[in-house]
Amino acid sequence: MMDKKSVRIALIGATGSVGRSVVNVCETFRKRFVLHSMAARNNAGALIELQERTGCRVLALTGTRRSREFEKRAASGTRWLHGDDALVEIALDREVDLVVVASSGVSAIKPVIEALGAGKRVCIANKESLIAAGKWISGSVRYENQLLPLDSEHNALWQCLGKKCSCDGVAKLVLTASGGPFLSRPADSLAHVTIKEVLKHPVWSMGPKITVDSASMMNKGFEIMEAGVLFGCEPERVSAVIHPESHVHGIVEFFDGTRRMAAFTPDMRIPILCAMAYPDILQWPESPEAPPVEEVSVMTFLEIDATRFPCFYIAREAFKKGGGYPAFLVGADEAAVNLFLQGKIAYREIPALIEEVIEEYSGHDPSCWQEAVEIVKEGGIRVREKTGESAYDDKG
Ligand code: NDP
Ligand code: MG
């Protein structure tokens, strides 16, 4: 039975790391959140497993691999949708109140723009779409807090801003980074790190792409751009620091000399619930425990070292340059990280390759989000060309 205050959700990227945390929040707060539809790219098996847990009846797959066998395994009465248009269809469904975007890549740009245009609230974790097409996504927002951040640092900043997405009165937004697995490794030893070492994040458990980006701090560079889009803030007013204890996730400094910080346990379910329940504050039945404040004896904030973390500075440059640079960087980084995860390039080649292709890029300013998507693709093609790989990725 649906509660009067139930929120019906379309979840894009249900089978990933963030998507599963969203499902967990929906399961914990069954009366409040009802999963109306779920989408993934190819992982039909995982979608069906999530359907068994949640009873969700609309399932969508955008990838090219279609399996009738899986479709038969789904609960009777399941409605299957296929192809890229499926994301727009589930986002615009009249029965959906809230669109939650937990997919990777840029496939969510169109459904997000359309959902915002139709007046639906959107909670978003997907940073690639925000970075590549920020202008068109933020331009589609119709009312305050229609687009809410799930990414922990942005959710923390939003809390510090008084649950608003506006930077009025703000001198600086500061995001924190844990420092990842290589915080105390000498920079010259990073030439030989293995995939396993890169994937061993000390604080967060995440999908492989973002875990590599967290080790290199490209993720933090992406996140300052994401903050620029979400809060309408220019590059000069957004920065990041390393905070190895990971208590604080975002800091806002105001013009009047006051400063607010938001702290919570590093568990994605916390920012997810905070955004999805807005404007309410819901109580966890069994809370993801925060340490008592008495135990938080040390809080360190450090500058991001450019020799160990060049990717952060590459991204900051792209943010400052604007135009097509952020979109190009999204594509170049995705391709470089995939090549690293396939064992085709060394960890240190990620920034080297990206810098090389950015240097050769014209910086063409996209005039629409479709053009921005083409620039993302171009970034990937240029990186793969440099390594002698086929220019086109074979992912479905
Ligand atoms: P994962 O790789 O774990 O999951 C990606 C999800 O997106 C999968 O469900 C995948 O489906 C789906 N997906 C990818 N492409 C498409 C597509 N074209 N159509 C439909 N579904 C698609 O990623 P994460 O959960 O780690 O990250 C997701 C996003 O959230 C990224 O943008 C990341 O930067 C951001 N983020 C992640 C955090 C984390 O803790 N992991 C924290 C903050 C932000 P399939 O399984 O079929 O491939
Ligand atoms: Mg983050």
Side-chain angles (χ1 to χ4, degrees):
M1 264 281 276
M2 251 182 51
D3 203 71
K4 227 171 94 195
K5 269 190 93 182
S6 285
V7 175
R8 293 163 300 180
I9 293 175
L11 172 57
I12 299 178
T15 55
S17 162
V18 177
R20 285 173 183 275
S21 293
V22 173
V23 171
N24 183 290
V25 168
C26 294
E27 282 179 308
T28 308
F29 296 90
R30 278 176 192 279
K31 284 196 177 152
R32 176 63 178 252
F33 304 117
V34 175
L35 271 170
H36 181 79
S37 50
M38 292 189 293
R41 186 172 33 193
N42 288 315
N43 201 342
L47 262 192
I48 291 169
E49 175 241 321
L50 292 172
Q51 176 185 54
E52 280 160 9
R53 276 168 42 190
T54 61
C56 175
R57 285 304 163 102
V58 183
L59 302 181
L61 285 173
T62 62
T64 48
R65 281 174 256 153
R66 183 169 180 177
S67 164
R68 306 265 175 211
E69 199 199 316
F70 272 120
E71 290 179 22
K72 275 190 236 140
R73 268 179 45 194
S76 71
T78 301
R79 196 169 142 233
W80 281 96
L81 300 167
H82 291 276
D84 278 339
D85 289 345
L87 299 184
V88 173
E89 199 172 331
I90 65 166
L92 292 183
D93 191 329
R94 275 165 192 258
E95 289 183 51
V96 164
D97 308 301
L98 174 69
V99 179
V100 180
V101 185
S103 51
S104 51
V106 292
S107 55
I109 295 175
K110 191 173 179 193
V112 166
I113 290 175
E114 301 238 352
L116 292 170
K120 305 226 187 234
R121 195 183 299 278
V122 176
C123 287
I124 188 161
N126 172 230
K127 58 194 75 176
E128 296 90 336
S129 297
L130 287 171
I131 297 164
K135 194 158 117 187
W136 298 278
I137 293 178
S138 54
S140 304
V141 171
R142 291 181 168 187
Y143 53 87
E144 186 167 271
N145 285 328
Q146 189 183 6
L147 179 67
L148 294 179
L150 298 182
D151 202 348
S152 55
E153 297 78 2
H154 306 80
N155 188 274
L157 293 171
W158 175 67
Q159 292 177 45
C160 295
L161 292 167
K163 294 196 173 170
K164 287 195 176 117
C165 289
S166 144
C167 269
D168 289 350
V170 170
K172 198 149 216 176
L173 301 177
V174 186
L175 292 85
T176 69
S178 71
F182 304 135
L183 178 58
S184 19
R185 286 243 334 216
D188 53 11
S189 75
L190 293 179
H192 307 293
V193 296
T194 62
I195 297 176
K196 207 169 148 199
E197 285 173 294
V198 174
L199 290 181
K200 215 166 153 190
H201 197 277
V203 178
W204 296 94
S205 159
M206 307 174 283
K209 158 73 169 53
I210 187 178
T211 306
V212 178
D213 284 341
S214 298
S216 72
M217 294 253 183
M218 182 62 88
N219 182 52
K220 214 44 58 181
F222 281 163
E223 288 184 346
I224 57 172
M225 294 195 241
E226 188 185 354
V229 173
L230 285 165
F231 305 116
C233 220
E234 59 280 11
E236 294 68 31
R237 279 200 289 167
V238 192
S239 70
V241 291
I242 294 177
H243 169 49
E245 297 83 12
S246 295
H247 297 306
V248 173
H249 303 283
I251 304 163
V252 178
E253 297 178 356
F254 295 89
F255 285 132
D256 62 2
T258 58
R259 177 183 278 164
R260 288 185 200 160
M261 299 181 173
F264 47 86
T265 302
D267 179 329
M268 278 303 289
R269 291 175 304 159
I270 294 178
I272 288 169
L273 177 65
C274 175
M276 283 188 1
Y278 175 81
D280 298 330
I281 295 176
L282 303 185
Q283 185 176 3
W284 286 93
E286 277 172 58
S287 149
E289 287 291 331
V293 277
E294 297 87 325
E295 284 174 27
V296 183
S297 52
V298 182
M299 286 214 279
T300 328
F301 298 96
L302 311 161
E303 206 182 321
I304 299 177
D305 162 21
T307 39
R308 214 172 286 150
F309 303 114
C311 285
F312 174 74
Y313 292 92
I314 295 173
R316 205 177 64 170
E317 262 320 289
F319 187 16
K320 283 185 186 157
K321 283 182 177 160
Y325 280 97
F328 188 83
L329 178 62
V330 164
D333 177 66
E334 189 184 14
V337 169
N338 281 337
L339 290 168
F340 169 71
L341 288 171
Q342 290 159 11
K344 291 178 177 167
I345 62 167
Y347 175 67
R348 269 303 201 193
E349 284 179 84
I350 298 174
L353 270 171
I354 293 173
E355 265 187 315
E356 214 180 318
V357 296
I358 286 192
E359 199 111 306
E360 293 164 10
Y361 174 57
S362 66
H364 167 72
D365 203 353
S367 59
C368 57
W369 66 262
Q370 291 88 342
E371 226 173 281
V373 171
E374 289 309 309
I375 296 174
V376 173
K377 287 184 193 155
E378 190 189 339
I381 291 170
R382 296 292 161 253
V383 162
R384 282 189 293 276
E385 275 174 356
K386 289 272 171 207
T387 55
E389 289 291 313
S390 150
Y392 296 92
D393 206 348
D394 57 359
K395 270 191 283 160

